[in-house]
Amino acid sequence: MKALITYFTMGGRTKKTAEAIASVLTNYEVDFFPIELTGKFVEKIKMLDKFENDDFSVIEPELNTIDALPYDLLIFGMPTYGDKPPKAFDEVIARIGDLSGKKAVVFNTARFTGGKALEYMKTKVEEKRVQLIDQFKFRKLFWIGTKNAIKFGKKINESLD
Ligand SMILES: Cc1cc2nc3c(=O)[nH]c(=O)nc-3n(C[C@H](O)[C@H](O)[C@H](O)COP(=O)(O)O)c2cc1C
């Protein structure tokens, strides 16, 4: 079976979590669709600002390739910005194609909150008629480890209908 992990990261916490989950998905061949802000802090913020204003021109070629078709399982991992996932999440959902009947998992990373953002993600994927098999909020104020992500990944790996 094939899984696609789509994640957005600015500081590396969501990437680290996504990779830890992937490391235990032994029942799946895993691909990643990473949206990673890089460069100096100011550059990252400028890029984030563009994205939040629905300007995705910088990653347009990558976004054009995203396609759920070959995958059995779609995992979406996002950070939390003001109690919502970044706009890139909505953009991915709009472009990913038909998700009906596919298995899906949503997770987010946050420092203090995250519950509302996770609910938002869940609603968005359910609107696309997925079979939501799991969800998780990774909330840590400072250091985000991989222990919970590995535990979560193992649970996903074992949920085979
Ligand atoms: C602009 C901005 C807004 C944020 N808003 C929230 C928030 O509303 N609630 C929260 O718990 N954390 C918030 N955070 C913290 C991030 O969600 C958290 O650090 C996340 O794990 C970052 O993931 P990343 O390292 O993959 O970019 C915010 C961070 C930034 C930069």
Side-chain angles (χ1 to χ4, degrees), residues 39-158:
K40 292 186 184 142
F41 186 68
V42 214
E43 290 161 353
K44 289 183 181 183
I45 292 292
K46 277 188 187 160
M47 182 86 79
L48 179 64
D49 193 51
K50 275 192 176 180
F51 288 177
E52 292 304 296
N53 285 294
D54 293 317
D55 174 0
F56 295 98
S57 49
V58 192
I59 55 163
E60 189 61 38
E62 290 85 359
L63 280 173
N64 271 333
T65 66
I66 193 164
D67 185 7
L69 192 67
Y71 299 100
D72 307 286
L73 169 67
L74 286 307
I75 301 179
F76 300 94
M78 295 286 141
T80 306
Y81 296 156
D83 269 341
K84 278 190 97 176
K87 283 264 188 97
F89 170 70
D90 300 274
E91 197 64 20
V92 164
I93 294 296
R95 293 179 186 230
I96 202 163
D98 188 13
L99 292 182
S100 53
K102 290 185 187 281
K103 290 197 283 188
V105 167
V106 292
F107 74 87
N108 69 350
T109 66
R111 288 193 191 272
F112 336 93
T113 58
K116 271 193 198 161
L118 191 63
E119 274 306 307
Y120 180 91
M121 292 176 71
K122 194 180 142 189
T123 305
K124 281 279 166 183
V125 295
E126 282 180 339
E127 278 170 11
K128 300 212 61 167
R129 292 178 290 128
V130 299
Q131 180 197 341
L132 190 74
I133 61 164
D134 220 332
Q135 58 181 304
F136 202 81
K137 178 178 75 185
F138 294 91
R139 190 179 64 194
K140 280 274 181 234
L141 188 51
F142 298 116
W143 171 252
I144 200 156
T146 55
K147 200 172 142 211
N148 286 340
I150 286 170
K151 198 169 149 198
F152 182 58
K154 283 185 177 162
K155 201 166 144 233
I156 298 167
N157 194 48
E158 275 142 35

